[in-house]
Amino acid sequence: MSLKQQIQTQATALTPKLIEIRRHIHAHPELSFQEHETAAYIETYLKGLGLQTQRMANTGVVAVIEGKNPSKKTVGLRADMDALPIVEVEDGRPYRSTREGVMHACGHDAHTTSLLGAATILNDLKDQFEGSVKLVFQPGEEKLPGGASLLIKEGVLKDIDVMIGQHVMPGIDTGNVGFRPGLYMASTDEIYVTITGKGGHGAMPHLTIDPVTIAANMIVALQQIVSRNANPTLPSVLTFGKVIANGATNVIPNEVKLEGTFRTLDENWRAMAHEKMIQMAKGIVEGMGATVDFQIVKGYPFLKNHEPLTHRCIDFAKDYMGDAHVEPLGIWMAAEDFSYYSQEVPSCFYRLGTRNIAKNTGISVHNASFDIDEEALTTGCGLMSWLAIQELNS
């Protein structure tokens, strides 16, 4: 039996166990940097394989599988572990979250499960590859400053030559995966704005400094920074998703609070846009008689897949799955703290298809009804194992 067949056979045989693991993690979600039970569960599993574990960034878990000539080369495999503050839909699923208001709505339960499956396969086949595989179970992907940045500060990359990660994609059918060499995902910044005016009676706006109309003017004007200043070949997004004006039908409030996000794919433009937003906001707000506090919290950098590594991974995936099951991806303006790894070492971040219309698993991530087709776990653990071994042996 070839190495590929061994991996595929083991991945298939592991599927019932993977489903059990994924459902346990899904039913017991934990928010970013609070993944204590999840970390302990992972440690118990890895120790059951005979692996030594290390805690990093408090709730992160790291382990190494050594093959032949373990110091020759090291491939890092990453899975994130945290959940989101979302109330999961009540639709009868037996593994629904037992913690109301916390849900694995982004597939991190599937990522962790896939890497545990890959750990099982790689540990069984460690006499068939050169070098080592470093398993990185990362906390806090969903919350700044991002668990990846903390792990890097603690030295997780010091012996890693390349980093590989996967993320579920409900827009791709189960059994397929997607890759994009080069620029792939955007940087992300959080924006917090307070506009202070002078409140009063809604029937006498001339006696007020209306922060509501001022905020509306500011929001519309700021969009020109994206539409008229950004390089059209590199997308930018500016969105305000939260506006609080706590007045009433006949009450103009004293202040308006706004929260938003800015995303781009160019670091120089990112810095310029920050300055332009602050200058424009102050000019508009102060020109209309109010004051503004405009805070930008810098988040994750853009994610750029290392082109030679990603092209190799595409070829490896086609060999493992067949050409028809490997899809090209476009630029996606969502953000990921895997980007921190991509800034430090050659990295490849790809997508694992989880869509099955018959099972209603095509719903977007970060949605209360999100779910995966659990058959994708077979592909997830098998492909990660194959990519790691092929990269080490290439």
Side-chain angles (χ1 to χ4, degrees), residues 33-240:
F33 304 112
Q34 300 175 31
E35 309 93 341
H36 302 286
E37 292 181 20
T38 306
Y41 182 87
I42 291 167
E43 287 173 325
T44 298
Y45 187 95
L46 295 176
K47 288 175 181 177
L49 299 178
L51 299 175
Q52 292 185 338
T53 63
Q54 176 187 4
R55 281 291 185 102
M56 299 187 75
N58 192 24
T59 51
V61 180
V62 177
V64 177
I65 299 173
E66 295 185 343
K68 296 178 292 185
N69 304 318
S71 62
K72 180 180 179 182
K73 184 177 184 180
T74 300
V75 170
L77 297 179
R78 175 268 205 169
D80 39 15
M81 307 153 55
D82 53 329
L84 287 160
I86 293 176
V87 177
E88 187 165 4
V89 67
E90 294 189 27
D91 62 356
R93 60 184 71 170
Y95 44 87
R96 184 182 184 272
S97 173
T98 59
R99 292 169 179 155
E100 199 67 11
V102 185
M103 177 192 174
H104 272 294
C106 200
H108 296 188
D109 52 342
H111 305 163
T112 297
T113 301
S114 292
L115 187 52
L116 288 174
T120 307
I121 295 171
L122 291 165
N123 196 52
D124 286 344
L125 300 176
K126 58 189 175 184
D127 61 341
Q128 297 196 48
F129 61 82
E130 298 272 342
S132 298
V133 178
K134 193 168 192 177
L135 312 170
V136 180
F137 294 89
Q138 180 210 297
E141 189 279 323
E142 297 287 358
K143 185 176 181 178
L144 296 180
S149 69
L150 302 183
L151 290 180
I152 291 170
K153 286 179 181 178
E154 293 188 15
V156 76
L157 292 177
K158 66 180 181 181
D159 54 356
I160 290 178
D161 296 288
V162 301
M163 196 72 164
I164 297 173
Q166 70 176 5
H167 196 295
V168 298
M169 173 62 85
I172 298 177
D173 288 338
T174 301
N176 291 1
V177 292
F179 289 84
R180 180 180 176 83
L183 284 174
Y184 177 40
M185 297 180 71
S187 63
T188 179
D189 301 309
E190 296 179 357
I191 302 173
Y192 300 92
V193 184
T194 300
I195 297 174
T196 304
K198 178 183 177 183
H201 200 296
M204 295 178 284
H206 61 291
L207 300 179
T208 73
I209 299 173
D210 186 353
V212 178
T213 56
I214 294 172
N217 276 276
M218 184 198 72
I219 291 171
V220 172
L222 286 174
Q223 293 300 325
Q224 294 185 40
I225 290 176
V226 172
S227 66
R228 290 295 179 267
N229 291 272
N231 182 341
T233 65
L234 291 173
S236 295
V237 171
L238 174 61
T239 296
F240 286 95

Side-chain angles (χ1 to χ4, degrees), residues 152 157 339-347:
I152 291 170
L157 292 177
S339 58
Y340 284 116
Y341 304 122
S342 78
Q343 303 283 322
E344 301 291 332
V345 297
S347 300

